[in-house]
Every structure is written in structure tokens, then in C-alpha cells.
Amino acid sequence: SFDTIVDLTARVVGAPMVALEVFDERTDTYRVRAARGLPDDDGWQARTTPLSALCIRIRDGEPVVSCNNLAAEPALSLDSDLGRLEARSFLGAPVRGPDDGPAGALVAIDRTPRIWSSEEKRLIEALAALATQRIVLRAALETVRILARKAAG
């Protein structure tokens, strides 16, 4: 499940907060949302917009996006969601959709500045690829179901 990917990400990179968001812009809805360590009271599950500009930056960015110290990144340090989470560093990788286009992000967030290792970067990229594979398989299964219904009816 996507929760398992989030849990594995938290464990392998040692981050207290991890979020996986995949947003379907065609229908303006979330297709996937999973998290670990986010405050229960921030209404994250009920939100209708991405966690922050951070997830959009990761979704649309390089294979791996990281920041070792948000205090040194004025544009990111103004992000209200990161401020509310008391985030000081992050590491993220984009998640692709069934059409191989950008669809979301897997992001690890820490409350302390830290230097993300090349191994942590490699691992979050691999885990984001795993989330992408799940999304593609889910879409393929839905296509098979639709075709089976059409053939039966």
C-alpha cells in the first residue's frame, strides 16, 4: 500500500515526517494521500490543495529535490505549510502518473537542518518510483475492469 511506502521512506531516511501526494488535475481531486508524522490537527487529510508549494516544486522538479537548511532558502522558508510543521530540511522525489507525466511527490521532512546523503537521495527516488509503479498498476487494473464491463454488457 501507499502507507507502506511512506513508512519505509520514514525509516530509510530517518525523517520524522513523510507525505505522499498524487493530484489528478483533470478531476481536481487527490488520487493518493498517505502520510506519517504530520500533526493530526492540521487538517491535512481534509485539505483540497497540495501540502504546500514544496510538493508542487518536487512534482515538477529534478529527479530528487532537497534542501539541507530552509533558513538559507528565503523563498521556501516563507512557505506557510513548512513553517507550521517547523520544517528545517526536506528531501523529495516526483511521482509520475500512468501517462508518465508529473503527478505528485514523495517528500521527507525534518525539523532540523541536515545534509541528505547520496544514499538517502537514491532511496527516496527508488521509493517514489515504487509509488509510480503502484499508480500505473492501479490505472491498468481499472482499465481492465472497464473493458470487462463493456465486454459483459
Side-chain angles (χ1 to χ4, degrees):
S1 77
F2 292 106
D3 288 328
T4 301
I5 294 170
V6 165
D7 288 343
L8 284 170
T9 302
R11 289 179 189 210
V12 300
V13 302
M17 295 176 280
V18 176
L20 171 63
E21 293 189 338
V22 177
F23 193 74
D24 186 341
E25 292 181 0
R26 291 173 297 137
T27 61
D28 205 30
T29 59
Y30 282 102
R31 309 251 327 144
V32 176
R33 279 194 120 170
R36 177 179 179 176
L38 292 179
D40 291 337
D41 63 351
D42 84 345
W44 181 78
Q45 287 291 347
R47 292 170 62 110
T48 58
T49 58
L51 175 63
S52 67
L54 172 62
C55 284
I56 294 169
R57 178 181 176 178
I58 293 167
R59 179 195 69 193
D60 297 341
E62 301 297 318
V64 176
V65 178
S66 67
C67 179
N68 299 331
N69 186 352
L70 281 166
E73 297 279 343
L76 286 173
S77 64
L78 295 176
D79 185 310
S80 62
D81 288 318
L82 292 174
R84 189 177 64 255
L85 295 172
E86 299 176 9
R88 297 295 173 261
S89 58
F90 68 83
L91 173 65
V95 174
R96 315 293 290 177
D99 63 352
D100 200 35
L106 175 64
V107 59
I109 302 167
D110 206 331
R111 289 188 174 102
T112 60
R114 64 185 278 183
I115 296 173
W116 301 96
S117 72
S118 58
E119 179 69 2
E120 289 168 328
K121 291 175 182 178
R122 186 188 68 75
L123 288 168
I124 200 162
E125 187 175 21
L127 289 162
L130 186 61
T132 295
Q133 289 173 356
R134 256 189 92 63
I135 290 166
V136 170
L137 288 172
R138 190 186 264 187
L141 181 59
E142 183 59 27
T143 300
V144 167
R145 288 180 181 147
I146 290 169
L147 293 173
R149 282 194 299 267
K150 284 183 179 180

